[in-house]
């Protein structure tokens, strides 16, 4: 369990959780878990990045009766581990479900301060996340390890959010995944590769460069990261057989230069 106290809340919040694992066979395990959580009605980092365009600003304030956001989550998973042709093999699948109450939402008010637009953070009716996830890893050879996974999920509000009338969460993909390949190269060099996939996301696009507010969908993103490294022994430590090692590496991040290419333009 966990107890949190925020200076914006009158009482402390207790968040219990529990997990269980059952060994169905030597290789197959069943796992289940229940957890709860909360988020205090705080000022978020993005609130401090005030948007200043053409001499006007957009301000965000908390509603007077803003409550903390709370969650209840449940998950169940099957994990399988074994040896395939002398190499380690692992695969698993899981289902997850999360209920959020008093979700934080932003709505534009009719008020202005010195001609600046005012947005207010309020509580929404609630929302839910649910989905399935699968993953697998295998040592395909003594010099090659493969891994990958994929998640399908759905994130929905109970009632449409107030600005665009959408039931779907913004900036949240319905599917995403990853793949990886690790190579042990000659001269004790290790090459690690990871490819992350992010599916389309629903994004708010406010009027300015465009004539009216609308909802856009971001494209698929594929991000390739890689690390090339080698370890050098520096001699034994005192009293044991372990060695001190120096690891030298070079890292490449987002080598495909994947990013959002739709930008607003002009003074608005």
């Amino acid at each position: 369990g966990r107890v949190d106290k925020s200076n914006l809340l009158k009482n402390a919040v207790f968040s219990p959780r529990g997990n269980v694992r059952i060994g169905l066979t030597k290789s197959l395990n069943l796992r289940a878990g229940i957890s709860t959580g909360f988020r205090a009605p705080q000022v978020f980092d993005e609130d401090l990045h005030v948007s200043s365009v053409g001499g006007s600003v957009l301000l965000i304030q908390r509603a007077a009766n803003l409550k903390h956001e709370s969650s209840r989550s449940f998950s169940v998973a099957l994990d399988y581990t074994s040896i395939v042709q002398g190499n380690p093999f692992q695969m698993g699948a899981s289902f997850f479900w999360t209920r959020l109450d008093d979700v934080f939402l932003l709505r534009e008010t009719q008020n202005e301060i010195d001609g600046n637009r005012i947005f207010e953070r309020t509580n929404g009716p609630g929302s839910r996340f649910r989905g399935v996830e699968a993953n697998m890893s295998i040592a395909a050879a003594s010099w090659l390890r493969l891994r990958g996974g994929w998640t399908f999920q759905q994130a929905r509000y109970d009632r449409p959010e107030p600005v665009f009338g959408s039931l779907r969460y913004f900036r949240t993909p319905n599917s995403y995944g990853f793949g990886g390949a690790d190579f042990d190269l000659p001269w004790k060099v290790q090459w690690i590769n990871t490819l992350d996939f992010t599916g389309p996301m629903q994004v708010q696009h406010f009027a300015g460069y465009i004539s009216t507010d609308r909802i856009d969908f971001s494209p698929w993103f594929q991000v390739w990261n890689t690390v090339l490294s080698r370890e050098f022994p520096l001699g034994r430590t005192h009293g044991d057989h372990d060695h001190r090692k120096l690891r030298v590496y070079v890292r490449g991040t987002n080598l495909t230069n994947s990013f959002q290419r739709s930008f607003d333009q002009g003074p608005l």
Side-chain angles (χ1 to χ4, degrees):
R2 172 173 169 165
V3 178
D4 292 273
K5 180 65 178 72
S6 168
N7 66 327
L8 296 177
L9 298 175
K10 181 179 179 180
N11 299 315
V13 178
F14 175 58
S15 303
R17 60 183 181 269
N19 295 275
V20 62
R21 178 179 66 86
I22 301 173
L24 302 179
T25 68
K26 185 178 180 180
S27 300
L28 187 64
N29 289 291
L30 174 66
R31 304 173 189 269
I34 297 176
S35 63
T36 59
F38 96 110
R39 185 165 61 166
Q42 64 200 59
V43 174
F44 298 98
D45 290 343
E46 61 266 25
D47 298 350
L48 306 178
H49 297 283
V50 179
S51 175
S52 178
V53 179
S56 64
V57 299
L58 183 152
L59 302 176
I60 299 175
Q61 64 185 17
R62 297 191 305 268
N65 59 346
L66 187 65
K67 303 177 182 177
H68 71 273
E69 188 178 275
S70 60
S71 67
R72 303 186 305 276
S73 300
F74 169 76
S75 65
V76 60
L78 279 173
D79 296 321
Y80 178 80
T81 57
S82 184
I83 301 296
V84 176
Q85 295 182 349
N87 296 315
F89 172 78
Q90 178 274 330
M91 67 179 301
S94 63
F95 166 81
F96 57 89
W97 175 91
T98 297
R99 171 72 190 176
L100 297 175
D101 292 313
D102 297 317
V103 174
F104 297 146
L105 295 177
L106 283 179
R107 67 176 182 88
E108 186 171 8
T109 69
Q110 301 301 316
N111 302 323
E112 290 188 354
I113 297 179
D114 298 328
N116 301 318
R117 299 166 65 187
I118 305 299
F119 278 72
E120 188 176 61
R121 176 165 284 110
T122 63
N123 293 115
S127 65
R128 62 193 180 277
F129 285 79
R130 56 188 175 186
V132 293
E133 179 183 24
N135 61 81
M136 181 184 69
S137 65
I138 184 173
S142 60
W143 52 271
L144 174 61
R145 293 171 296 279
L146 302 174
R147 62 189 185 279
W150 203 265
T151 299
F152 296 95
Q153 70 173 18
Q154 186 183 70
R156 297 290 185 270
Y157 293 111
D158 291 344
R159 296 201 299 267
E161 56 85 30
V163 179
F164 287 88
S166 175
L167 285 172
R168 179 173 170 176
Y169 260 59
F170 296 115
R171 301 184 181 90
T172 305
N174 282 342
S175 62
Y176 55 91
F178 72 95
D182 303 338
F183 300 87
D184 291 332
L185 303 179
W187 303 293
K188 299 181 180 180
V189 174
Q190 188 178 54
W191 185 25
I192 300 174
N193 293 273
T194 302
L195 190 61
D196 294 320
F197 302 92
T198 302
M201 294 176 280
Q202 187 173 262
V203 184
Q204 311 104 308
H205 195 168
F206 292 96
Y209 175 60
I210 59 175
S211 58
T212 59
D213 295 348
R214 73 173 186 232
I215 294 176
D216 287 340
F217 283 86
S218 65
W220 278 88
F221 287 92
Q222 302 86 30
V223 177
W224 175 28
N225 301 320
T226 187
V227 177
L228 198 64
S229 67
R230 189 185 191 281
E231 285 189 346
F232 297 90
L234 297 179
R236 294 185 177 181
T237 57
H238 297 290
D240 56 36
H241 298 288
D242 294 333
H243 288 75
R244 290 171 298 186
K245 298 178 181 179
L246 171 68
R247 181 171 180 259
V248 179
Y249 69 90
V250 58
R251 178 190 302 273
T253 303
N254 192 17
L255 297 183
T256 56
N257 195 29
S258 182
F259 64 94
Q260 159 105 11
R261 286 173 166 80
S262 176
F263 296 107
D264 284 339
Q265 302 180 38
L268 299 180

